[in-house]
Amino acid sequence: MTETVKAEEEVLGKSAEDFFFTEYEKNEIMEILKDKGFKSERRARKKDGTMPVWLSTSIIKDSAGKHVAYMGSVIDIIERK
């Protein structure tokens, strides 16, 4: 099994909250997301430890400007370190 497949198995179908370390960190990000998107370098949990990631989130709004969803991505930046 390749490293990419292993990594996909660790993240597919999981909530972004599964990768945060503390309740404080979860709350911090959710508080920021109430008003705007969020971009930050973070440490993410994985099965065998942690890894540096770039976390990017955006708010999806309907035509009336109401928040209807969040969209996000987590990019492994270990090779940049």
Side-chain angles (χ1 to χ4, degrees):
M1 190 178 296
T2 67
E3 288 300 315
T4 301
V5 172
K6 288 179 187 176
E8 286 176 0
E9 290 174 355
E10 286 190 43
V11 299
L12 290 178
K14 295 190 177 174
S15 165
E17 291 181 352
D18 293 334
F19 303 100
F20 301 135
F21 285 101
T22 66
E23 201 62 33
Y24 173 81
E25 188 174 27
K26 290 178 195 178
N27 293 336
E28 174 191 32
I29 292 169
M30 295 309 293
E31 187 65 32
I32 293 168
L33 281 175
K34 287 181 182 177
D35 299 315
K36 59 185 177 180
F38 180 85
K39 293 175 178 46
S40 175
E41 184 176 323
R42 296 285 173 152
R43 302 275 322 154
R45 249 193 314 221
K46 61 182 215 169
K47 209 174 353 180
D48 61 351
T50 67
M51 63 187 221
V53 297
W54 180 254
L55 173 64
S56 177
T57 61
S58 301
I59 299 170
I60 308 299
K61 298 179 182 181
D62 65 13
S63 59
K66 180 181 173 191
H67 296 187
V68 294
Y70 296 102
M71 178 177 64
S73 64
V74 177
I75 300 170
D76 177 353
I77 59 172
I78 199 162
E79 291 183 12
R80 296 182 197 169
K81 292 293 181 176

